[in-house]
Amino acid sequence: MMKILNINSTLEAITGGGAAERTIQMSRYLSKVRGVKVSILTLNLGITNEVKNKLADINLIEVPCINKRFLMPSILNKKIKKSILQADIIHIMSHWSIINLIAYFWIIRYKKPYVVCPAGALPIFGRSKILKTLYNFFGGNSYIKNANINIAITVDEFIEFANYGVDKKNIVLLPNGINPSLYEFKNDAHIRDKFLIGRNPFILFVGRLNYIKGPDLLLEAFAIIQQKYPTLKLVFAGPDNGMKNDLISESTRLSLNDKVSFVGYVDGKLKSMLYHASDLLVIPSRSEAMSIVVLESAITSTPVLMTNKCGLEEMTGINGAISVNPDAASIANGLLTILDKDYDLDLSGKKLKKYVESKFLWDDIVVKYVQMYENILSKPMK
C-alpha cells in the first residue's frame, strides 16, 4: 500500500485559507483510492471536531505549536521525524512554513521522494519581505529546487518556479479541485434574514479582508456604479485581515452604510447559500495563484467577475466569466457590462458550471496525483 504524507502548517479554515481547504479535500479524495494510505502532518491549531470528521479515514498527525504568530512547531518533536520515515512519498503544501523546512531536513536525511505545491505562495509579496528572503536563504529555495516534482496549480506559476531555478521538465500542472456536493445547499430567505441583507439583488465578495484580495477596489467600484444601480447591495463575506475598519470608514464616507454588509467568515452550508442567493460574485484580487472561491461560485452557476490576477483566465470569454484589470475603474466597467440588461447572467452561470465540472472535480484530479506518485516511486532516487 502506497503511503502518502501531506504536510501543511495548519488546517484551520480562517488562517489556513485555500491551502488548508486544498489539503483537506485532496487528502479525503486520495484516501478513497484503493491501495493508498494518507496521513496529514500539521500543527495542533484549529483541529475542530468538524475537521476531524472530514478526515475520519486519514491518519492525522498533530505537532505542538510553540509560537502561533510564526506557526512555529516544536522542532524536536519526534512525530515529524517518524512521519517522514514511515511515508513512501511526501507532499509539501504551500511555502513560508517552518514545519516545511524541518520536514525537508528529514526528507534529505532519509532520502525520501517528495513533491511541492506552493499554490501561489512563491513570490515575495506583501509584508515580511526580509523574513521571507531569509526563509528562502535557509532552505526555502532548496526544497523547491530539489523536489522530485513541483506542482503548479496554474500555467502562470511556471514562471514563479523558473525564478527559483526549477527546470520546466520537473513541473506538472494540477489545479485546485472542487467537491460539488458541498455547494448544493440553497435557502435564499434564510440567508438573507440571517445576515439582514434584505430582498434586493446583491454582489458577493468572499475572502479575507486584506490588501491582496482587493476589497477596497471593489468598494470603490461599487460606489462608481451606484447612480445606475441604486438598489444594488454589496456583501463582504470573510474574516478581517486588517482592512475591515478602513472599509467601514470608507463606506461611511461614501454614504453607503445601508448598502454594504460585513457578514464575517462563512463556511459550509451558509457559504453555499450565499453563493446561490447572490446575483454575482466579484473577486477583485491584486494577486492570487488560483482562486478556489471562483470555482465554488461557478459550481453553483453564479456568474463571476474577477481580475486578471486570479490565475483563471481560461474561465473567461466563451466559458462564462469576465476578467478585468485590478483597479477600481476597470472593476466598475466590468460591473456595468455584466449587470447590463442585455447581458445574459443566467447563461454565464451555466457556462461556468459546465466548465468547472469538466476540468476541476477532485474525483478526476486525484487520479492524476496517484499516477504522478506512482511514476516517481517507480524511478530510482536521485
Side-chain angles (χ1 to χ4, degrees):
M1 177 174 285
M2 178 168 37
K3 298 177 182 178
I4 299 169
L5 176 67
N6 291 330
I7 301 176
N8 195 51
S9 59
T10 178
L11 301 181
E12 204 276 322
I14 296 178
T15 57
E21 182 64 18
R22 178 188 176 91
T23 302
I24 291 171
Q25 294 302 331
M26 187 185 73
S27 299
R28 291 180 67 192
Y29 276 84
L30 280 172
S31 70
K32 296 178 183 178
V33 178
R34 183 176 297 178
V36 173
K37 180 176 176 59
V38 182
S39 299
I40 299 177
L41 177 67
T42 188
L43 299 179
N44 62 343
L45 299 173
I47 309 293
T48 63
N49 287 333
E50 182 182 1
V51 170
K52 289 181 178 179
N53 289 336
K54 287 180 180 179
L55 301 174
D57 298 326
I58 293 161
N59 179 29
L60 189 58
I61 305 165
E62 300 179 49
V63 177
C65 177
I66 60 176
N67 186 300
K68 293 183 180 180
R69 169 91 166 87
F70 297 101
L71 296 180
M72 172 71 78
S74 174
I75 296 175
L76 300 178
N77 190 278
K78 294 181 180 179
K79 290 181 180 178
I80 302 177
K81 172 184 174 181
K82 185 178 179 181
S83 64
I84 299 294
L85 181 61
Q86 293 179 340
D88 294 317
I89 191 162
I90 295 94
H91 188 132
I92 297 177
M93 311 282 187
S94 197
H95 198 47
W96 316 123
S97 168
I98 296 172
I99 198 172
N100 288 2
L101 289 180
I102 299 171
Y104 178 58
F105 170 84
W106 291 112
I107 286 169
I108 297 302
R109 177 77 178 270
Y110 293 122
K111 298 181 179 180
K112 293 286 184 174
Y114 72 103
V115 302
V116 178
C117 180
L122 289 179
I124 298 178
F125 185 90
R127 300 179 299 174
S128 305
K129 290 184 179 180
I130 294 176
L131 288 176
K132 289 178 178 179
T133 300
L134 288 172
Y135 177 92
N136 277 344
F137 178 80
F138 285 107
N141 273 326
S142 295
Y143 80 69
I144 296 294
K145 191 174 181 178
N146 295 329
N148 294 77
I149 290 291
N150 281 278
I151 299 167
I153 59 174
T154 69
V155 174
D156 294 342
E157 206 169 6
F158 277 66
I159 298 173
E160 296 169 8
F161 280 120
N163 292 335
Y164 277 67
V166 177
D167 192 315
K168 188 176 181 180
K169 68 181 182 182
N170 290 328
I171 308 172
V172 299
L173 179 63
L174 289 171
N176 286 327
I178 192 79
N179 177 357
S181 66
L182 299 178
Y183 304 97
E184 297 174 347
F185 305 98
K186 305 178 187 178
N187 193 326
D188 188 82
H190 171 74
I191 203 70
R192 288 175 178 275
D193 290 343
K194 179 177 179 61
F195 293 124
L196 306 176
I197 298 170
R199 296 298 180 262
N200 286 0
F202 69 91
I203 295 169
L204 179 64
F205 168 97
V206 176
R208 297 189 303 278
L209 301 180
N210 66 18
Y211 179 81
I212 293 176
K213 297 292 185 180
D216 55 314
L217 300 179
L218 176 54
L219 181 60
E220 186 178 345
F222 181 70
I224 292 172
I225 69 166
Q226 271 299 291
Q227 187 171 359
K228 186 167 184 179
Y229 296 99
T231 63
L232 190 65
K233 292 194 171 186
L234 172 60
V235 174
F236 287 103
D240 182 23
N241 203 199
M243 288 193 75
K244 183 177 179 180
N245 289 338
D246 290 340
L247 292 169
I248 292 174
S249 296
E250 186 65 5
S251 297
T252 301
R253 188 185 72 80
L254 295 169
S255 301
L256 295 175
N257 280 349
D258 61 333
K259 297 181 180 180
V260 179
S261 299
F262 297 89
V263 302
Y265 174 76
V266 293
D267 198 6
K269 293 181 179 180
L270 291 179
K271 184 194 279 190
S272 174
M273 291 177 194
L274 269 176
Y275 284 133
H276 283 286
S278 66
D279 293 80
L280 168 68
L281 176 82
V282 180
I283 301 298
S285 295
R286 290 179 166 94
S287 177
E288 190 153 358
M290 179 184 178
S291 175
I292 293 178
V293 171
V294 170
L295 302 185
E296 293 173 346
S297 177
I299 205 68
T300 67
S301 298
T302 302
V304 173
L305 171 68
M306 60 184 173
T307 67
N308 53 20
K309 300 296 183 180
C310 291
L312 287 166
E313 288 298 289
E314 63 190 281
M315 292 179 66
T316 62
I318 62 172
N319 293 320
I322 288 182
S323 171
V324 297
N325 291 328
D327 62 77
S330 297
I331 295 170
N333 287 334
L335 287 171
L336 291 173
T337 297
I338 203 168
L339 294 171
D340 187 270
K341 61 182 177 60
D342 293 327
Y343 189 90
D344 195 332
L345 282 172
D346 185 59
L347 179 60
S348 172
K350 288 178 179 178
K351 286 181 177 180
L352 281 167
K353 182 176 182 179
K354 182 178 180 181
Y355 188 74
V356 169
E357 288 176 334
S358 70
K359 297 283 186 178
F360 298 104
L361 298 187
W362 273 121
D363 277 323
D364 301 324
I365 293 172
V366 293
V367 173
K368 298 177 182 177
Y369 267 104
V370 173
Q371 290 171 345
M372 176 187 66
Y373 296 144
E374 288 175 340
N375 183 50
I376 292 171
L377 292 172
S378 69
K379 299 177 181 178
M381 278 293 292
K382 296 179 181 180

